[in-house]
Amino acid sequence: MKKTGVFICHCGINIAGTVDVKKVARELSQQPGVALAEDYVYMCSDPGQNLIAQAIKDKGLDSVVVACCSPTLHETTFRNASQRAGLNAFRCEIANIREQCSWVHKDMSKATPKAAQIIKSTVKRVQKNEELEPISVPVTRRAMVIGGGIAGIQASLDLANSGYEVILVEKSPSLGGHMIQLSETFPTLDCSQCILTPKMVEASKHPKIKLMTYSEVQDVTGYVGNFKVKILKKPTYVDPAKCNLCDECSKVCPIVVPNEFDLGLTGRRAIYLPFPQAIPASYCLDDKNCPSLFPVACGKCYHVCKPKAINYDLKPEIIEEEVGAIIVATGYDLYDKEKMAEYGLGRYPDVLDGLQFERMCSASGPTQGKILRPSDQQEPQEVVFIQCSGSRDPELHCAYCSKICCMYTAKQAMLYKHHVHDGQAYIFYIDIRSGGKNYEEFVQRAVEEDGVLYLRGKVSKVFQEGDKLKVWGADTLSGKKIEIDADMVVLAMAMRPAQGAQELAKKLKLALDKDGFLAEAHPKLRPVESVTAGMFLAGAAQAPKDIPEAVAQASGAACKAITILSQDRLYHSPTVAKAVKNLCTGCGMCVAVCPYDAIALKDGKVEVNEVLCEGCGTCQATCLRAAIQVKNLTQHQLHEMILASLGG
Amino acid sequence: MTEEFEPKIIAFLCKWCSSAGSDLAGVSRMEYPPNVVPIQVMCSGSISPLYIFSAFNRGADGVLVSGCHPGDCHYIKGNLYARRRLALVKKLLEHLGLEPQRFRMSWVSAAEGQKYTQVIKDLVRDLKPLGPQTKLRRNV
Amino acid sequence: MDKILPKKDFPLWLKNLSAYALYAPRLVDEAWSYEFVTDPARVSLDYPLTVVPAKKIIFPQRESYFEFSQDDANGYRLAETLPEENPVVIFGVRPCEGRALTLTDKVFGGEFEDLYYWKRRRAVTLVGLACGTPPSPNCFCLSVDGSPHSREGLDILLTDLGDKYYVEAFTSKGEDLLAKGGAVFAVPLPEDKKAADKIQADSENKLARRLENIKDVPLKLKGMFDSSFWDEESLSCIRCGICTYLCPTCHCFDINDEVESATPLRGRRVRTWDTCQFPDFTMHSSGHNPRPEKSSRLRQRINHKFQYFQEVWQNWQCTGCGRCITLCPVGIDIVKVVEKVRDHAS
Amino acid sequence: MVKLEDLKEEARRLLKEGKVKYIIAYERNPLDGRAVPAFLRKPEDADRIAWDPTCVHNLVRFLVDEKRRKAKEKNPDTRPVGVVVKGCDSRALVILLQEKFIERKDVHILGLSCEKTGVADERKLAKRLKGKKAVRVEFGPEDNFTVTTQDGAVTVPAAEVLAGRCLECIANFPVVSDLLLGEKTKRTVANAFASVEPLESLPPEEKWKFWQEQFRKCIRCYACRSVCPMCYCDECVADTINFAVTADTPAEEKAQKIKWVEKSPLDSENIFYHLVRAIHLAGRCIDCGECERACPVNIPLRQLNKKMEKEAKVLFGYEVGFDPDKPALISCFRDEDPQDFIR
């Protein structure tokens, strides 16, 4: 016979005011396997906890039910108390008779039997609880950060400065991400490159950071604290240690392709320096565009390279690393050009996207900071900025708000005015969203100081007429149709997850939200954690963000990663699924439903990775044969609880 | 005048949303009928059709399964599996001739104490006129 | 006591039997079944064979042994739930089923009488119906020591003479039943007797199926216990319970406690039909199952009917009703199996 | 028209060349003309193969036995087993493949097209013949069956005696096979769920009355689950004792066996059993109709399974038993799955 102790808390009058605790205690003491049932005014008080501990020792209780408030409040308290008295913590369960009973009923004659039933059901459960110990796994105390933009750099620096080794993986040849492309940043108008390059340098020089540019994550296995990753290191064919940035190679290279850094506003050679401040500071031979590499047919760059930094024989390498935590900061890309045909992007040379305009404003950009029409290199006198190009349009484009466009459009209009004092900037907008420190003031400055004309409404069409761009729109405030003969149109394109992020998410087994951004574990309370334990999110990979937000989240993610890396061992709740192998037929339905990839088939039978399992029990309900059960909430226990709840 | 029929209801509440929502109803001192015995599970996705059949077999007059709203599931998508599985259960029970009101599913978030209260009130109100559930109930 | 009953007066007789619970064949969803008679006027014995044999009334699929309870006031309590001895009449029972009851009588009788069985058995009067033509294409009663007009186990035998029945009562229960009919019965004329005799005699020639020369089968079976014959024969068996549940001679049961409420404890102990064809029939709690394969279970069915029962009771435990043949979803044919045993080169 | 000789020839070849372990096919019982399952091992056994409208059985069921037998063998013969399948049977096989219970390499599928007809419902046929005994039923001419009784042969329009499942068939020829005989023209049915509609339209109380009478008849012989290729669990909810135990199963695990349902044929317990069976077959039942055919007391079990098949289609756009690589109905979901019943 089981020896269960039932401890009923009065919670002052919170419970005892509506539930006849003495009566419930009497009733429970009659239950099979219940060795004693006692009530006390405050079970969570020290004397209350001592009462439980004493009873465990004196009566040799093998399980305990504390009938009190919600388990979210004192489950840990009572489990610890039980443990101190020598009872396994998992043999203590809470019956919630306050929030779910005494507080919601007034009639004692009805609340009392309900409380008794809740406790009886809990008694049935606890009597079948296994003794469990937290699952413990060792931790590899290093981290991997994927993405070398501002978020990735920040996360890496925070981790490294806390003493943990970091592998920073960036798929392009240089650190910097999109931030390094920007001219000035809102709301302070400080130069983006000026504030970012020191951080890039710091990251590249940090003894704890292993920088892997031009590299991509190929495969991730393992689990929190113990990931094994395979990283593909693509060859740049140029040894950064030897490259002295003389530019001779580029000069002789016969191949010209659009320059990604300038978003096609300029060209580059097949061997090129990504941008002047690139880290690592080295040229890179782009083997996709060099037609003469396999086999080597041209060889011009090799011949002119004095330091002999070029080596055509380099091969892709797979680097294997072990890490305990992973931060994903893969950033964003702009919405596809082709999808914004209605505004003529890609069709008319003087219709630019926001990033192209940034490059144009940048002192290091294609026009050295002058704002010139790509078509005729003339200063535009009328510039139309169109916000929400692709955002907030559930029918045709993205349903979500890209969040940063209101601010950067204001900034860009302002920058335009600073360059072209007599020009006119128009901004079409749906709403102005300027929530953020000094953001609203910034927008007001654009209107008041720089005379930017804000037009509330959508643009229906942009088309070329002569050397002008006709912009047809509506001002919904005045209700008037608006036609502007613009010299340049700048589209605040929607942000979408970076190219390749989806495939990466698959490799990492991360969930995506409906828009393809990485899904956080909880939208409010776990915003930097991914659904997979040990993997964290930073920056625009999770949702559109501006720089301060991306940096804050990156530091948050680093800190979350440190909560793992700072441990010698990780402890995990042991109420996880377990396989009942002799019932398993290997159909794999549980494998398919597991949100954590914690279940696998081995030799035709199910196997649970206890470290990955979160104990949700979806597998248990899916299995047709009861071959997988969550410990301490098994089908058997639920069956008994149902019976007890119905009074039988 | 006979005493008014008081239905016996089992409510399977997911720990993270609906049980928390029910806790909130308590904390807010909302009031609802005492006919429901809650059973807290980790996720609505863990509710096997067997539990529902069994509850009816053992004399439940009504069964409620409540989970997180779609997209809010603590376990990402358990509630979406539950939604599909329990839709089938509901259709099956109705095909058999069980009154549709007897099996109910709801989404109640941790913030929806008011909604939980309403769900229980509605359920009890709907079940009272039906009287005891005898169709699936065992009578040995 | 022989009588004549005009078919049109059959309901009148039934109406006089209000002291009895009456059962007669009725077509329910295309399947014949012995059903409680609510309207005597609608009873007709013009039917072939029921799906479930009459054993379901005497040896019901679920029989309660006793009720148990435990509570503070009364402590433990057991209350036997013997069936009440209300008289029952079953009409239209085929002679093979009557014979089958004589076999189950042996099993439930003897030194340790099974009261639950006998309470019902003694209360029942069986009005048999001779088979003028075989009610099933798979009838083979003659081959297992029965006949289409066997009186064994029955109280009354009706022989269909077209518009009337030739009625023979040969037990006191049967005679009581005739007495209750009073004037509905006429005295048979000699030609009635002759007609009945002829129908009965002719019926023996109408059986399509025979199972002959089976005298040595028990011995043969004994030698074939470990034969691979059973593997081959049982290949198509799907391990359902049709052959045994619907067999009028099969009588195995299981005993379970059905708990209605754990606290306070309330429930009853019941016996239910069980069958050697279910894999759990022989399952031990240790996990050992002496008859884990369906081959061993088919063997058990044949052995029980054609060897063990002979050894213990000197009778075949089969009355040739053919139900198991007709209703087997995969066409396993007991006649063919036993013939193969007979012809098996040992 | 399926040429039986082609099937026999292929079976003969497979057996002769030792390509298969054995072949599960149909043969005719000479006594009553009905087809029964046959297990062919020798090339000459192929002569026994039958193919006619009495080939009702879903022979895929026997692959479950084969798998169990093989698991116990020390040095199992790893050659595939040949199996003759109709369209519906092949969909059952797809489910077994989908659930990884059977591997494709372990089975050699001899597919037969039911073309424009299907199999006969024995009860309908008996009624049509008004007591006369069929000794042989054959396909053709055209959409008819030729039924031979003691009084000679008659032509019966197939539609009059077709099994209910065939009237609502959505795969008149196998969807997976190694050899496929007969016409491969997809037959379309106007309404694949017509049979459940009358019951669906009844108010709850009348539905209940219908089912109560049906389930009251149940004798729990479990022919329905025994004949079903999908009911391959080692241990069923309906079994009262723990099955999947071995000599070394610990006592705690044995004690985990839940008595969900009593063995007693009480209304409530019969219903419980059939409810569980129906929900466990949701998204798995391919309507071979064998449970309904095997039921000795004629409970219309297809009404339950067909209803679930219909809901899978209507609610979730899920068609059962066509694609072995698809996830099971209940191990996937769509964002747009209906939730109007959730409030």
Side-chain angles (χ1 to χ4, degrees):
Chain A
M1 194 55 122
K2 297 280 178 196
K3 283 183 129 181
T4 308
V6 178
F7 300 91
I8 303 158
C9 181
H10 297 198
C11 198
I13 57 158
N14 281 301
I15 293 171
T18 333
V19 171
D20 184 344
V21 287
K22 297 275 179 206
K23 190 176 169 199
V24 172
R26 269 198 308 278
E27 195 178 333
L28 262 297
S29 65
Q30 302 299 313
Q31 289 290 301
V34 173
L36 92 166
E38 288 186 9
D39 59 286
Y40 186 73
V41 61
Y42 286 110
M43 276 298 168
C44 59
S45 66
D46 276 354
Q49 292 187 46
N50 289 339
L51 183 85
I52 296 172
Q54 207 55 47
I56 290 171
K57 288 179 195 150
D58 292 352
K59 303 263 179 177
L61 299 179
D62 62 9
S63 47
V64 160
V65 170
V66 187
C68 55
C69 49
S70 169
T72 49
L73 298 170
H74 280 305
E75 187 178 76
T76 319
T77 312
F78 293 119
R79 285 192 167 169
N80 289 344
S82 300
Q83 185 114 39
R84 285 197 299 274
L87 183 71
N88 182 283
F90 290 87
R91 305 231 27 165
C92 167
E93 289 287 348
I94 306 299
N96 179 350
I97 59 165
R98 191 178 75 174
E99 282 83 348
Q100 298 186 352
C101 186
S102 71
W103 273 353
V104 286
H105 307 309
K106 289 211 172 90
D107 184 344
M108 189 181 261
S109 72
K110 287 181 173 157
T112 302
K114 174 174 165 178
Q117 230 132 33
I118 293 172
I119 302 168
K120 281 183 202 167
S121 148
T122 316
V123 166
K124 286 290 180 190
R125 175 184 177 183
V126 82
Q127 289 181 340
K128 294 212 152 50
N129 266 10
E130 288 179 56
E131 290 191 358
L132 299 174
E133 294 300 334
I135 296 160
S136 126
V137 282
V139 177
T140 306
R141 302 174 87 167
R142 343 163 53 207
M144 173 170 73
V145 175
I146 308 172
I150 179 59
I153 292 170
Q154 184 64 45
S156 301
L157 287 172
D158 286 345
L159 285 165
N161 289 335
S162 308
Y164 301 100
E165 270 182 54
V166 181
I167 300 148
L168 173 55
V169 182
E170 163 60 42
K171 74 174 171 187
S172 70
S174 170
L175 287 180
H178 283 305
M179 182 175 166
I180 199 70
Q181 291 173 297
L182 306 182
S183 54
E184 273 106 45
T185 53
F186 62 82
T188 47
L189 295 186
D190 41 1
C191 157
S192 182
Q193 293 180 345
C194 313
I195 57 177
L196 181 56
T197 40
K199 277 187 179 286
M200 288 162 61
V201 173
E202 190 188 347
S204 69
K205 301 273 185 255
H206 203 295
K208 290 274 185 188
I209 296 179
K210 178 175 173 184
L211 181 60
M212 292 184 68
T213 50
Y214 218 39
S215 300
E216 287 179 38
V217 173
Q218 282 240 303
D219 185 39
V220 176
T221 54
Y223 45 85
V224 56
N226 298 275
F227 295 108
K228 287 190 172 54
V229 296
K230 284 187 184 151
I231 304 162
L232 170 74
K233 187 156 179 49
K234 297 175 282 185
T236 61
Y237 306 98
V238 180
D239 183 349
K242 292 185 184 159
C243 177
N244 62 7
L245 308 177
C246 67
D247 197 37
E248 293 303 322
C249 53
S250 176
K251 282 181 197 148
V252 298
C253 180
I255 306 296
V256 181
V257 292
N259 184 348
E260 299 86 353
F261 187 70
D262 285 335
L263 297 117
L265 292 174
T266 59
R268 65 159 171 88
R269 304 297 165 130
I271 186 159
Y272 67 111
L273 182 66
F275 51 90
Q277 309 88 333
I279 303 269
S282 169
Y283 275 65
C284 170
L285 175 55
D286 158 16
D287 58 18
K288 291 206 179 48
N289 285 306
C290 173
S292 319
L293 197 54
F294 309 114
V296 178
C298 163
K300 284 183 181 149
C301 53
Y302 177 81
H303 292 298
V304 298
C305 182
K306 294 220 174 74
K308 296 290 169 215
I310 298 174
N311 179 356
Y312 293 140
D313 296 329
L314 290 180
K315 293 275 175 300
E317 275 179 89
I318 301 280
I319 315 276
E320 293 190 21
E321 295 281 0
E322 289 184 11
V323 295
I326 296 174
I327 293 175
V328 188
T330 47
Y332 72 96
D333 273 326
L334 289 187
Y335 193 52
D336 297 342
K337 259 192 186 120
E338 309 78 64
K339 291 189 179 148
M340 288 312 296
E342 66 236 58
Y343 294 161
L345 188 62
R347 194 149 26 114
Y348 310 127
D350 300 333
V351 178
L352 303 179
D353 65 37
L355 268 181
Q356 287 176 320
F357 194 79
E358 289 289 337
R359 291 308 305 141
M360 197 169 269
C361 296
S362 169
S364 68
T367 55
Q368 286 79 44
K370 292 195 194 72
I371 294 173
L372 300 172
R373 302 202 327 167
S375 61
D376 55 9
Q377 302 297 312
Q378 296 301 308
E379 260 188 2
Q381 293 309 304
E382 309 238 312
V383 178
V384 173
F385 294 87
I386 305 175
Q387 294 194 177
C388 298
S389 292
S391 304
R392 300 181 67 188
D393 188 345
E395 267 98 64
L396 295 174
H397 303 293
C398 308
Y400 54 88
C401 166
S402 293
K403 199 172 180 183
I404 65 169
C405 327
C406 287
M407 293 311 298
Y408 80 66
T409 304
K411 175 196 75 181
Q412 288 177 346
M414 218 182 245
L415 292 178
Y416 164 69
K417 286 289 288 184
H418 296 175
H419 284 95
V420 185
H421 302 298
D422 52 350
Q424 180 61 53
Y426 304 89
I427 296 180
F428 280 93
Y429 71 104
I430 303 178
D431 304 289
I432 295 299
R433 297 184 168 177
S434 53
K437 196 167 173 176
N438 295 327
Y439 284 10
E440 176 59 20
E441 296 90 320
F442 185 77
V443 174
Q444 285 308 320
R445 209 172 109 197
V447 177
E448 286 159 17
E449 290 180 18
D450 296 308
V452 176
L453 199 57
Y454 272 85
L455 298 162
R456 184 174 183 169
K458 287 202 88 166
V459 170
S460 59
K461 204 174 171 186
V462 176
F463 60 98
Q464 187 96 41
E465 201 172 87
D467 67 343
K468 292 283 183 188
L469 287 163
K470 285 261 186 207
V471 179
W472 284 5
D475 179 352
T476 52
L477 292 179
S478 65
K480 281 191 190 133
K481 214 180 131 193
I482 294 187
E483 276 187 48
I484 299 170
D485 287 340
D487 299 307
M488 185 183 270
V489 172
V490 181
L491 306 180
M493 298 286 283
M495 284 167 97
R496 60 167 189 74
Q499 246 176 1
Q502 199 161 348
E503 292 83 81
L504 180 69
K506 239 183 225 163
K507 286 175 194 155
L508 300 180
K509 287 144 198 145
L510 292 179
L512 298 173
D513 66 19
K514 65 181 190 341
D515 301 314
F517 290 101
L518 295 171
E520 59 284 334
H522 189 280
K524 286 122 234 173
L525 299 178
R526 298 168 69 190
V528 305
E529 293 161 78
S530 80
V531 293
T532 307
M535 295 198 196
F536 305 95
L537 313 177
Q542 183 236 352
K545 283 192 181 63
D546 62 18
I547 295 165
E549 269 188 296
V551 170
Q553 196 188 15
S555 292
C559 180
K560 278 286 177 188
I562 291 169
T563 62
I564 291 169
L565 302 180
S566 58
Q567 310 288 320
D568 287 329
R569 302 187 74 82
L570 284 178
Y571 294 92
H572 184 72
S573 166
T575 52
V576 292
K578 66 171 173 197
V580 186
K581 291 208 176 176
N582 50 5
L583 290 174
C584 177
T585 63
C587 72
M589 281 187 191
C590 55
V591 178
V593 298
C594 178
Y596 306 102
D597 247 333
I599 314 175
L601 290 177
K602 198 183 163 200
D603 302 327
K605 298 273 181 187
V606 65
E607 231 178 39
V608 178
N609 182 331
E610 297 197 331
V611 181
L612 295 181
C613 176
E614 297 276 337
C616 69
T618 303
C619 51
Q620 182 167 325
T622 305
C623 181
L624 300 174
R625 351 202 123 76
I628 191 160
Q629 300 274 327
V630 175
K631 290 177 185 173
N632 289 359
L633 206 53
T634 61
Q635 273 204 353
H636 201 186
Q637 288 176 300
L638 272 155
H639 177 69
E640 300 256 317
M641 288 168 82
I642 293 166
L643 264 52
S645 302
L646 288 164
Chain B
M1 193 61 198
T2 51
E3 213 174 300
E4 195 184 14
F5 167 65
E6 292 292 349
K8 273 201 247 177
I9 300 164
I10 295 268
F12 296 100
L13 309 178
C14 83
K15 172 177 174 171
W16 305 97
C17 290
S18 297
S19 190
S22 165
D23 280 354
L24 179 62
V27 173
S28 320
R29 304 298 200 278
M30 291 164 184
E31 202 188 342
Y32 54 79
N35 305 57
V36 175
V37 179
I39 293 180
Q40 183 185 297
V41 294
M42 298 306 276
C43 177
S44 56
S46 74
I47 297 302
S48 160
L50 273 169
Y51 306 154
I52 296 154
F53 299 154
S54 192
F56 283 126
N57 179 264
R58 295 306 181 114
D61 299 305
V63 175
L64 169 72
V65 177
S66 189
C68 309
H69 287 271
D72 288 355
C73 177
H74 183 80
Y75 303 106
I76 313 154
K77 50 192 180 175
N79 54 350
L80 301 179
Y81 291 115
R83 177 174 71 181
R84 177 170 276 208
R85 188 170 14 249
L86 300 180
L88 290 166
V89 169
K90 188 158 178 64
K91 290 285 182 189
L92 180 60
L93 288 172
E94 289 177 21
H95 195 56
L96 212 70
L98 189 77
E99 298 87 345
Q101 298 91 320
R102 295 209 188 266
F103 173 56
R104 186 166 167 183
M105 191 168 172
S106 65
W107 304 135
V108 172
S109 79
E112 293 176 323
Q114 179 64 49
K115 180 171 178 190
Y116 182 77
T117 305
Q118 200 54 48
V119 165
I120 300 302
K121 282 182 180 167
D122 290 354
L123 189 54
V124 173
R125 179 202 64 206
D126 291 349
L127 291 180
K128 278 195 173 180
L130 297 182
Q133 184 277 120
T134 53
K135 289 173 181 166
L136 305 181
R137 173 188 231 134
R138 130 182 329 195
N139 185 10
V140 294
Chain C
M1 191 197 291
D2 292 6
K3 296 278 186 192
I4 284 291
L5 174 64
K7 280 192 180 169
K8 66 172 173 43
D9 293 338
F10 183 59
L12 292 179
W13 182 29
L14 267 56
K15 278 178 192 153
N16 286 342
L17 303 178
S18 55
Y20 296 84
L22 308 182
Y23 288 87
R26 179 148 53 96
L27 194 61
V28 179
D29 297 325
E30 307 286 314
W32 286 95
S33 164
Y34 292 107
E35 296 289 323
F36 185 74
V37 174
T38 49
D39 180 5
R42 291 181 56 191
V43 173
S44 159
L45 299 186
D46 188 12
Y47 88 107
L49 197 65
T50 59
V51 169
V52 185
K55 79 171 177 190
K56 74 167 187 181
I57 299 161
I58 295 145
F59 171 55
Q61 190 167 0
R62 174 180 189 261
E63 182 85 84
S64 166
Y65 279 171
F66 55 81
E67 289 171 347
F68 52 81
S69 63
Q70 181 203 3
D71 55 40
D72 290 346
N74 302 303
Y76 287 103
R77 235 170 44 87
L78 293 183
E80 203 169 31
T81 52
L82 274 173
E84 287 171 31
E85 288 176 78
N86 294 332
V88 169
V89 186
I90 313 174
F91 288 95
V93 177
R94 294 289 177 184
C96 52
E97 288 201 52
R99 285 197 67 228
L101 284 169
T102 65
L103 303 179
T104 45
D105 287 351
K106 292 175 196 287
V107 176
F108 290 112
E111 194 179 346
F112 301 103
E113 274 204 347
D114 185 301
L115 268 186
Y116 296 88
Y117 176 86
W118 282 104
K119 285 267 184 194
R120 295 185 192 275
R121 178 72 175 100
R122 293 204 177 99
V124 79
T125 307
L126 297 169
V127 179
L129 177 66
C131 306
T133 52
S136 151
N138 291 311
C139 289
F140 61 101
C141 55
L142 275 176
S143 311
V144 282
D145 305 336
S147 98
H149 48 85
S150 161
R151 299 167 175 205
E152 281 179 82
L154 302 174
D155 299 292
I156 290 175
L157 183 68
L158 307 180
T159 306
D160 190 337
L161 300 181
D163 57 353
K164 57 195 174 190
Y165 292 112
Y166 191 85
V167 185
E168 300 164 80
F170 27 77
T171 65
S172 58
K173 274 199 277 185
E175 285 171 4
D176 287 352
L177 214 60
L178 291 198
K180 295 226 161 52
V184 302
F185 295 103
V187 177
L189 301 171
E191 53 262 44
D192 292 332
K193 170 74 176 153
K194 224 181 270 173
D197 285 348
K198 181 167 171 21
I199 286 170
Q200 292 186 1
D202 286 354
S203 68
E204 294 189 10
N205 301 320
K206 292 185 181 168
L207 286 168
R209 312 250 357 225
R210 301 276 160 160
L211 175 56
E212 278 159 346
N213 304 323
I214 53 171
K215 182 165 84 334
D216 295 333
V217 163
L219 206 62
K220 232 8 190 309
L221 283 169
K222 217 168 184 172
M224 285 172 66
F225 194 84
D226 293 320
S227 167
S228 63
F229 170 84
W230 301 111
D231 297 329
E232 201 60 27
E233 281 309 301
S234 64
L235 278 173
S236 59
C237 175
I238 54 169
R239 74 177 199 190
C240 76
I242 288 184
C243 50
T244 42
Y245 273 12
L246 303 183
C247 173
T249 71
C250 276
H251 51 262
C252 286
F253 57 82
D254 189 12
I255 300 173
N256 276 288
D257 283 351
E258 294 182 347
V259 179
E260 204 171 342
S261 149
T263 39
L265 186 65
R266 198 173 64 243
R268 55 173 77 211
R269 179 162 297 177
V270 299
R271 82 160 163 222
T272 49
W273 290 355
D274 202 355
T275 156
C276 55
Q277 300 305 298
F278 288 165
D280 60 352
F281 185 73
T282 44
M283 188 78 182
H284 296 183
S285 60
S286 66
H288 172 60
N289 191 346
R291 294 205 283 265
E293 309 294 341
K294 57 187 186 175
S295 55
S296 53
R297 299 193 289 265
L298 176 68
R299 180 189 67 204
Q300 168 64 18
R301 179 161 79 98
I302 305 295
N303 276 357
H304 198 183
K305 294 189 177 304
F306 289 89
Q307 180 197 342
Y308 309 149
F309 210 81
Q310 271 291 358
E311 288 170 359
V312 180
W313 302 107
Q314 293 76 50
N315 247 304
W316 306 115
Q317 197 215 353
C318 169
T319 60
C321 72
R323 281 183 178 88
C324 59
I325 305 172
T326 312
L327 292 160
C328 176
V330 290
I332 292 177
D333 185 330
I334 195 168
V335 171
K336 283 200 206 166
V337 176
V338 175
E339 278 173 351
K340 282 189 201 167
V341 169
R342 177 193 66 198
D343 301 338
H344 193 71
S346 37
Chain D
M1 199 70 172
V2 172
K3 286 207 199 85
L4 180 55
E5 201 39 56
D6 292 352
L7 177 62
K8 288 183 180 174
E9 190 52 48
E10 175 70 356
R12 213 173 281 129
R13 184 184 71 80
L14 291 168
L15 291 166
K16 200 167 168 183
E17 294 174 7
K19 293 267 195 276
V20 292
K21 203 165 154 185
Y22 61 93
I23 293 174
I24 312 169
Y26 301 100
E27 66 179 320
R28 186 176 290 120
N29 177 353
L31 285 174
D32 59 9
R34 292 190 301 182
V36 289
F39 300 81
L40 315 174
R41 294 184 195 281
K42 299 188 290 291
E44 57 269 31
D45 291 345
D47 301 340
R48 283 156 47 199
I49 299 180
W51 172 240
D52 65 38
T54 68
C55 293
V56 288
H57 318 81
N58 185 343
L59 301 178
V60 169
R61 161 67 179 77
F62 298 104
L63 293 175
V64 176
D65 289 349
E66 164 62 21
K67 161 141 179 170
R68 295 240 159 81
R69 254 195 314 271
K70 198 162 147 187
K72 286 185 189 163
E73 281 166 12
K74 283 210 179 67
N75 296 305
D77 182 343
T78 55
R79 286 175 298 167
V81 169
V83 61
V84 172
V85 297
K86 307 185 290 290
C88 48
D89 310 338
S90 78
R91 289 172 62 207
L93 192 46
V94 167
I95 302 288
L96 293 184
L97 293 171
Q98 189 182 354
E99 295 177 359
K100 303 179 194 67
F101 191 72
I102 299 248
E103 282 187 63
R104 185 64 183 85
K105 67 169 176 51
D106 289 335
V107 45
H108 190 92
I109 309 167
L110 302 169
L112 299 179
S113 171
C114 292
E115 302 183 329
K116 294 193 183 63
T117 61
V119 296
D121 180 325
E122 208 182 318
R123 288 154 188 143
K124 283 189 194 170
L125 188 62
K127 250 188 168 172
R128 179 68 167 64
L129 297 175
K130 298 192 178 75
K132 270 183 264 174
K133 217 183 109 194
V135 293
R136 194 163 183 161
V137 187
E138 286 158 297
F139 288 115
E142 265 122 44
D143 302 350
N144 301 292
F145 291 157
T146 302
V147 184
T148 311
T149 66
Q150 282 102 331
D151 305 343
V154 285
T155 301
V156 178
E160 290 181 20
V161 293
L162 268 185
R165 50 173 139 160
C166 300
L167 294 171
E168 295 176 315
C169 172
I170 53 168
N172 56 324
F173 59 89
V175 299
V176 53
S177 60
D178 291 299
L179 170 79
L180 178 47
L181 296 176
E183 221 174 274
K184 298 165 204 56
T185 319
K186 197 167 161 84
R187 181 183 60 190
T188 48
V189 287
N191 181 355
F193 307 106
S195 63
V196 290
E197 285 172 3
L199 187 61
E200 280 177 330
S201 66
L202 294 180
E205 285 317 305
E206 284 177 48
K207 279 184 196 161
W208 173 248
K209 224 180 114 204
F210 170 80
W211 283 117
Q212 197 180 24
E213 280 167 19
Q214 292 303 332
F215 288 132
R216 192 159 280 169
K217 298 189 300 189
C218 178
I219 56 166
R220 303 279 283 281
C221 66
Y222 298 133
C224 44
R225 82 167 187 209
S226 306
V227 80
C228 178
M230 258 78 257
C231 274
Y232 61 77
C233 294
D234 285 311
E235 183 173 295
C236 176
V237 159
D239 292 328
T240 46
I241 58 167
N242 210 318
F243 245 113
V245 293
T246 54
D248 50 3
T249 307
E252 310 89 80
E253 206 171 295
K254 284 184 201 166
Q256 290 294 319
K257 172 72 188 172
I258 306 163
K259 203 176 182 187
W260 294 103
V261 54
E262 298 292 352
K263 202 164 183 167
S264 289
L266 298 166
D267 287 4
S268 65
E269 307 308 286
N270 292 350
I271 288 163
F272 192 101
Y273 161 67
H274 287 289
L275 271 177
V276 174
R277 204 177 105 81
I279 204 76
H280 272 188
L281 285 174
R284 303 172 68 234
C285 172
I286 43 73
D287 193 24
C288 69
E290 278 290 273
C291 48
E292 188 169 298
R293 178 189 70 84
C295 179
V297 294
N298 299 350
I299 300 172
L301 293 166
R302 284 186 59 240
Q303 283 285 344
L304 287 180
N305 299 329
K306 201 75 192 168
K307 173 68 178 172
M308 289 292 93
E309 191 185 338
K310 177 178 175 179
E311 295 304 341
K313 179 85 192 286
V314 173
L315 299 178
F316 313 125
Y318 191 96
E319 273 199 327
V320 183
F322 286 95
D323 179 3
D325 299 323
K326 199 156 98 168
L329 174 67
I330 55 160
S331 62
C332 63
F333 61 83
R334 301 183 301 179
D335 287 336
E336 66 270 28
D337 277 357
Q339 53 182 17
D340 48 340
F341 71 103
I342 306 171
R343 289 174 294 158

